[in-house]
Amino acid sequence: MTRDEVQALLPFLANGTLEGAEREEAEQMLDADPDLRAELHALQTVRATLRAEDPGHSPGEIGLARLMREVGKDGTARRPFWQSVHTWQSVAAALLVALLLQALFTGTDPGEDGYELAGADPEAGPAITVAIRPDTTEAAFRDLLLRAGAEIVGGPSALGLYELRPLNDVTIEEARRILETSDIVEDVTGSGD
Amino acid sequence: MDQQALLLARVAKGDKQALAALYNALERPVYRFILSRLNDPFESADVLHDVFIDVWRSAGAFEGRSKVQTWIFGIAYRKVIDLHRKRGRLQVTDDIPEQTDDGPDAEACLIAGQEAAHVRYCLDTLKDNQRIAITLAFYEDMTYGEIAEVQGVPEGTVKTRVFHAKKLLLRCLSSRVSRTVPA
């Protein structure tokens, strides 16, 4: 280690973070060099002076209250899937309005062939109702649906329940077995229960 | 996993109490660091706020390769740099001005080093990157590896910055005492 290299490490000797072989080498050179020792002493003094300086009042509790306020209204924050239900509801409402407007302008009855609201089709086969853990992410729920071979046909209800239906090549028993063993599902009930 | 890493993991799941705990643990040092760069308590409070909003929004992106404190100081560092850039106050180069290599008077450095006003004045004469490296080393007791993470540069660059910063700092302190002590 050269003298310049030791000089570059002096601030880290002064703050006590230099360790291992670097520290040993630096200390050996310091032992033999009174100028380096004087520099280290000066740096230790500068550090102590800086640390003793009062930075004044930090925002503290006021800053925390401001942060919590902003976080509370922050729509872009990372939030659990469950808490984004309002967004889903808004999208669903917008889609419904769009369908109604289309029906109005084309004179088509949404009940005719060509319109199919999955959740409103009582003849599409038995459904499964599930309660999902409140901290579930959208990704986890999506993964479960793919594994179970099921799709959402209704919900979330006011109680947060989802109505699922197995896809064409999956039986309700198969889907239900996978749903019941999932960590993110709190409760499963079938239409026949 | 240390306490702050556990808190950050909870923040990533939307836990506001964990965010508050992390804020309480790091608010003062992060604020002190920002204030040391901006010299404006109101502006510094705003930047501190923005830093923790970023923590809230991007906690899930923390990969655990560094300490949480280092990661958060990195966010603060980039915000300060952005602010300086917008105002055209940033000196981004590591160029070292040519100076005669007369060594500083060790005793004068020691005397001046005890006066906060002298230390503050001399720190302000350093380039941004040098000052930040010294500030993180002396205020926050960071290793050069941690400072490299905060500044997003190789460790060798930090050592070079610190080497020149220290030299300029001690020379400035030495001259401060020479000027104030009557001949």
Side-chain angles (χ1 to χ4, degrees), chain B residues 88-161:
Chain B
R89 274 166 35 188
L90 186 68
Q91 297 168 292
V92 290
T93 69
D94 280 323
D95 295 344
I96 307 302
E98 288 294 326
Q99 297 199 22
T100 53
D101 197 21
D102 50 337
D105 179 321
E107 192 180 350
C109 286
L110 200 56
I111 295 167
Q114 292 167 355
E115 296 292 333
H118 289 321
V119 173
R120 177 59 53 205
Y121 173 86
C122 290
L123 270 179
D124 285 345
T125 65
L126 301 179
K127 289 179 181 296
D128 271 315
N129 283 330
Q130 296 170 349
R131 183 166 47 239
I132 287 171
I134 286 286
T135 302
L136 291 173
F138 283 175
Y139 267 139
E140 309 308 332
D141 283 349
M142 286 191 182
T143 65
Y144 57 77
E146 288 169 342
I147 295 172
E149 281 177 30
V150 169
Q151 295 192 308
V153 295
E155 291 180 355
T157 304
V158 170
K159 287 181 185 172
T160 305
R161 285 176 182 171

Side-chain angles (χ1 to χ4, degrees), chain B residues 6-87:
Chain B
L6 289 171
L7 285 174
L8 193 63
R10 284 169 52 198
V11 172
K13 291 178 180 172
D15 186 335
K16 292 178 194 169
Q17 284 186 334
L19 179 69
L22 204 53
Y23 175 93
N24 285 330
L26 292 174
E27 173 248 351
R28 277 185 70 81
V30 176
Y31 174 76
R32 183 171 56 185
F33 169 65
I34 297 167
L35 183 63
S36 75
R37 302 299 312 110
L38 300 181
N39 287 325
D40 179 330
F42 296 106
E43 197 172 42
S44 300
D46 284 345
V47 174
L48 177 76
H49 176 76
D50 290 345
V51 167
F52 278 93
I53 286 293
D54 268 19
V55 170
W56 170 249
R57 290 178 180 166
S58 56
F62 177 69
E63 295 173 348
R65 288 184 296 187
S66 60
K67 289 202 289 192
V68 170
Q69 176 176 327
T70 311
W71 183 67
I72 293 178
F73 268 87
I75 296 173
Y77 170 76
R78 288 188 291 277
K79 293 218 173 282
V80 168
I81 293 290
D82 284 348
L83 205 58
H84 280 182
R85 251 191 207 120
K86 281 179 194 160
R87 293 171 186 176

Side-chain angles (χ1 to χ4, degrees), chain A residues 124-179:
Chain A
I128 308 166
T129 303
V130 292
I132 304 292
R133 270 178 42 189
D135 58 348
T136 300
T137 62
E138 185 274 342
F141 193 27
R142 178 160 28 106
D143 177 61
L144 176 62
L145 290 174
L146 289 172
R147 281 192 293 113
E151 62 182 350
I152 301 172
V153 294
S157 69
L159 294 174
L161 302 176
Y162 283 86
E163 196 176 345
L164 310 182
R165 190 158 286 148
L167 297 171
N168 289 338
D169 53 346
V170 180
T171 66
I172 193 160
E173 290 76 21
E174 288 170 339
R176 189 168 169 166
R177 194 162 51 246
I178 292 172
L179 293 168

